[in-house]
Amino acid sequence: MGKIIKVSGPLIVADGMGESKMFDVVKVGKERLIGEIIELRGEFASIQVYEETSGIGPGDEVVDTDMPLSVELGPGLIESIYDGIQRPLDKLRALSGDRIARGVEARALDHDKKWAFVATAAKGDNLKAGDELGFVQENVLVRHKITVPVGADGVVSKISSGDFTVDDVVAVMKTEAGSVKVTMLRKSMVRKGRPYAEKLAPDVPMITGQRVIDTFFPIARGGVAAVPGPFGSGKTVVQHQLAKWADADIIVYVGCGERGNEMTDVLNEFPELVDPKTGEPLMKRTVLIANTSDMPVAAREASIYTGITIAEYFRDMGYNVAIMADSTSRWAEALREMSGRLEEMPGEEGYPAYLSSRLAEFYERAGIVKVLGSKDVTGSITAIGAVSPPGGDLSEPVSQATLRIVKVFWGLSASLAYMRHFPAIDWLQSYSLYSDRLGEWYEREIGEAWNEMRAEAMKILQEEAGLNEIVRLVGMDALGGRDKITMDTAKSIREDYLHQNAFHETDTYTSMKKQFKMLKLILEFDHRARGALVENVDVEDILELDVKERIGRSKYIPEERLNEFDEIEDELAVAFENLIGQR
């Protein structure tokens, strides 16, 4: 127990804390506010408090819990919405009303609810840490595996199926150190990654259904990506789309310092949205962590770590997890504020010198891993962080530190957003370092011509950027026939292929099979148009063909009617044969 000697916003300094440890959780003042020790100097401890500190003053008590900041893991996580320190918001509302009162404590999981535990291991089985003991069918989508905890390797001496709370003993392991009682509840430190057997190289894409991403800038399952962009360019909508449609088993969405209405949109939309693969509401595979901009600044850091730890827990069951952090810039602002109050030597623009290492610690916990256990099971975490650079300036420290870490950069453009082109991912600025590694998968699973088509489409877009300068100076009429076709094809790629309406029932998600057919159709028109030019067909006649309208509207063809693409291709062939025949 210590005494407060200084209060500076979310930072307090307490004396008499010589026996405490770094990152211990403490209870502050009469209201027992939750805090975490972030610096120790002799008897003095600097503590960041995750709740509003008004009314706290020198002389108030600080009680060390002798435990690091941890999360509760077990059945009941799915479909939950927590604040940054894993307090369930529905329970907080029941305890304190619409506004969260200070010092309110609520356990993350329901310790009274009974879950139907089904044992898959048997008495006498010799199991390692990570091996499955049984499972709880948490809902129709999530089979929640209960595994042998780390340090409990041995022989199962007792196990039984039945209805249990998370605190009840479901199995007893006979280990070298004695008997270990196993419950369904796990506690995990948030600042330390959960253990795994081996980290693997990502080689399979995470299909998102967003054409600009899947075609030009794919992210590997287990990869890391950043979505930087100025205000209003669509960062949050991109992350919502990925949370809705990416082929991940579990979604962890962290609203870190974002506006409350954006998290409200998620809460309202997700229960109504239907997962295209299962027909169930998307909320049935989602965990939400809401730490909005009006909540205490210090809790932003906790929300990021809470989210990644929950993601690791589901990864260890063999699931593919996607974690969305919106946005890491708000977390960095919290680090800057705490660093300033600690009177540390500032780095660039006032951010702490350790900004890059903190960001790296978060992103490096993503990846595809071989999980603990005697069976060959893999799980993955794909991390996608939004970055909100002031004024869209990508040279600022958070953006630069993030770009040095991530392998995929989806740069959002204010000019594209101004033109109402969404997703506003700039195809000339963005990149994916996974493209070459994933090329073999695309050729095998989608089509041998895919990589060539993708490269050709990108080349046309780059040529358009060069020709735009000429068009601005002397007008479109000054261009030759081939250049006019290049400009027309690039326009078709931009407006018919890359532009995607997140709120249209059909256009919001596009399978890889449909993406292949759409791109093939656009490039087929380009090839035939260039062939017709050689046959001395007038370029204006080519660009006025009626079939162009059908190509442009092909994005609205439902997934179950993809045979219509073959009809359009046949119509395209006939149109050009007639055009050449009329010459």
Side-chain angles (χ1 to χ4, degrees):
M1 189 179 290
K3 296 278 185 187
I4 296 175
I5 59 169
K6 175 185 173 184
V7 179
S8 175
L11 177 76
I12 66 168
V13 179
D15 191 6
M17 306 289 287
E19 294 182 16
S20 299
K21 300 184 291 295
M22 279 291 285
F23 304 121
D24 272 3
V25 170
V26 297
K27 304 286 185 173
V28 179
K30 297 185 185 71
E31 293 173 304
R32 294 178 61 79
L33 308 184
I34 298 173
E36 184 183 20
I37 295 174
I38 55 172
E39 185 180 78
L40 282 170
R41 293 186 183 180
E43 290 291 313
F44 300 104
S46 296
I47 298 160
Q48 64 178 353
V49 183
Y50 292 134
E51 299 182 71
E52 177 60 47
T53 57
S54 56
I56 300 292
D60 286 349
E61 288 183 346
V62 174
V63 180
D64 190 345
T65 64
D66 202 31
M67 286 284 292
L69 188 63
S70 303
V71 288
E72 287 191 343
L73 305 168
L77 280 173
I78 296 293
E79 298 183 66
S80 296
I81 173 164
Y82 296 110
D83 72 350
I85 44 180
Q86 214 205 4
R87 297 181 301 181
L89 291 184
D90 55 344
K91 290 183 184 176
L92 293 189
R93 185 179 183 184
L95 290 168
S96 66
D98 288 347
R99 299 198 67 82
I100 301 172
R102 296 191 307 168
V104 177
E105 291 188 37
R107 303 189 80 171
L109 300 177
D110 189 335
H111 288 248
D112 298 320
K113 182 175 179 178
K114 293 203 168 186
W115 298 90
F117 173 75
V118 180
T120 53
K123 186 178 177 180
D125 287 354
N126 195 340
L127 302 178
K128 292 182 179 178
D131 283 340
E132 187 179 310
L133 286 166
F135 69 91
V136 169
Q137 195 66 43
E138 193 161 342
N139 60 36
V140 290
L141 298 183
V142 180
R143 184 179 184 271
H144 195 118
K145 298 176 187 174
I146 308 300
T147 57
V148 177
V150 173
D153 306 35
V155 177
V156 179
S157 62
K158 182 183 175 186
I159 189 167
S160 57
S161 300
D163 293 341
F164 301 101
T165 66
V166 292
D167 295 314
D168 291 336
V169 176
V170 294
V172 178
M173 299 295 296
K174 189 177 180 181
T175 71
E176 291 179 359
S179 290
V180 175
K181 294 177 179 178
V182 180
T183 67
M184 292 190 281
L185 178 68
R186 301 282 187 274
K187 283 208 165 188
S188 198
M189 293 184 290
V190 298
R191 289 181 179 271
K192 187 178 179 183
R194 287 172 60 85
Y196 53 82
E198 182 186 354
K199 203 159 197 173
L200 308 171
D203 59 358
V204 175
M206 183 177 79
I207 305 301
T208 66
Q210 310 308 300
R211 294 187 290 268
V212 64
I213 292 174
D214 292 340
T215 301
F216 291 131
F217 313 111
I219 180 170
R221 189 175 282 169
V224 288
V227 194
F231 176 80
S233 59
K235 292 184 297 295
T236 300
V237 174
V238 167
Q239 288 209 313
H240 285 199
Q241 284 295 95
L242 297 176
K244 292 170 192 172
W245 306 120
D247 65 341
D249 303 314
I250 306 288
I251 301 292
V252 180
Y253 193 98
V254 183
C256 176
E258 286 302 295
R259 289 170 290 282
N261 60 330
E262 293 180 354
M263 286 307 295
T264 307
D265 284 345
V266 176
L267 282 172
N268 289 336
E269 283 179 21
F270 275 36
E272 295 174 8
L273 284 166
V274 175
D275 186 336
K277 295 182 284 294
T278 61
E280 294 291 332
L282 281 167
M283 200 66 197
K284 288 190 178 295
R285 59 183 179 94
T286 304
V287 181
L288 292 174
I289 295 163
N291 182 255
T292 54
S293 51
D294 63 341
M295 289 180 174
V297 168
R300 293 176 186 177
E301 184 170 20
S303 66
I304 290 282
Y305 287 122
T306 297
I308 195 74
T309 308
I310 290 172
E312 286 176 336
Y313 177 64
F314 286 106
R315 174 207 69 190
D316 292 345
M317 296 182 199
Y319 286 120
N320 296 308
V321 185
I323 179 168
M324 315 289 164
D326 186 13
S327 88
T328 54
S329 293
R330 306 282 176 261
W331 170 31
E333 286 166 10
L335 289 176
R336 178 166 62 182
E337 177 169 343
M338 296 308 297
S339 176
R341 292 184 185 279
L342 285 167
E343 299 176 5
E344 294 173 337
M345 183 69 75
E348 193 178 353
E349 292 188 24
Y351 287 100
Y354 48 78
L355 172 67
S356 293
S357 62
R358 285 289 176 88
L359 287 169
E361 281 172 16
F362 166 69
Y363 283 111
E364 73 185 7
R365 286 170 72 171
I368 184 165
V369 303
K370 195 176 286 184
V371 303
L372 294 177
S374 51
K375 293 184 179 176
D376 192 9
V377 177
T378 58
S380 69
I381 297 175
T382 308
I384 297 155
V387 184
S388 310
D393 177 18
L394 294 181
S395 65
E396 58 90 40
V398 182
S399 300
Q400 288 300 306
T402 304
L403 291 180
R404 284 194 289 270
I405 299 160
V406 300
K407 299 288 181 69
V408 180
F409 169 63
W410 296 321
L412 296 173
S413 161
S415 60
L416 285 175
Y418 183 74
M419 292 187 287
R420 294 293 179 265
H421 177 107
F422 293 104
I425 294 174
D426 190 328
W427 47 87
L428 298 176
Q429 279 192 341
S430 304
Y431 62 81
S432 169
L433 301 181
Y434 295 116
S435 295
D436 293 341
R437 185 188 290 273
L438 300 175
E440 199 176 302
W441 184 93
Y442 279 113
E443 286 194 355
R444 185 176 68 248
E445 301 292 333
I446 310 304
E448 289 184 6
W450 176 259
N451 290 329
E452 288 176 19
M453 285 165 48
R454 175 185 168 279
E456 185 181 352
M458 180 54 77
K459 184 183 175 188
I460 290 169
L461 289 171
Q462 289 169 341
E463 285 176 3
E464 182 204 30
L467 291 170
N468 272 334
E469 296 298 320
I470 299 169
V471 172
R472 284 194 196 97
L473 290 170
V474 293
M476 183 71 85
D477 293 338
L479 296 180
R482 292 182 67 81
D483 287 342
K484 282 184 179 178
I485 288 169
T486 297
M487 294 294 284
D488 186 74
T489 304
K491 183 183 177 185
S492 183
I493 294 169
R494 284 190 288 106
E495 296 181 4
D496 304 334
Y497 190 77
L498 297 182
H499 183 278
Q500 194 166 353
N501 187 347
F503 302 100
H504 189 279
E505 185 181 2
T506 303
D507 198 33
T508 185
Y509 175 86
T510 308
S511 68
M512 285 308 303
K513 194 173 181 182
K514 181 177 171 182
Q515 289 185 44
F516 181 84
K517 287 181 176 289
M518 283 177 69
L519 192 57
K520 185 183 176 189
L521 208 54
I522 293 168
L523 295 177
E524 181 71 16
F525 185 94
D526 181 79
H527 297 160
R528 287 188 178 274
R530 293 177 193 279
L533 271 185
V534 175
E535 298 289 339
N536 295 322
V537 175
D538 188 76
V539 69
E540 302 304 327
D541 293 338
I542 295 170
L543 300 182
E544 288 173 6
L545 283 173
D546 293 339
V547 73
K548 278 174 61 48
E549 176 70 19
R550 286 201 71 186
I551 293 172
R553 297 195 62 78
S554 65
K555 63 166 79 174
Y556 301 118
I557 295 173
E559 296 285 344
E560 62 271 13
R561 299 209 314 260
L562 295 185
N563 59 312
E564 290 183 27
F565 282 95
D566 299 328
E567 295 170 16
I568 299 172
E569 202 169 335
D570 292 341
E571 186 182 328
L572 178 66
V574 171
F576 273 99
E577 283 169 15
N578 292 340
L579 199 60
I580 293 168
Q582 291 167 8
R583 181 180 55 81

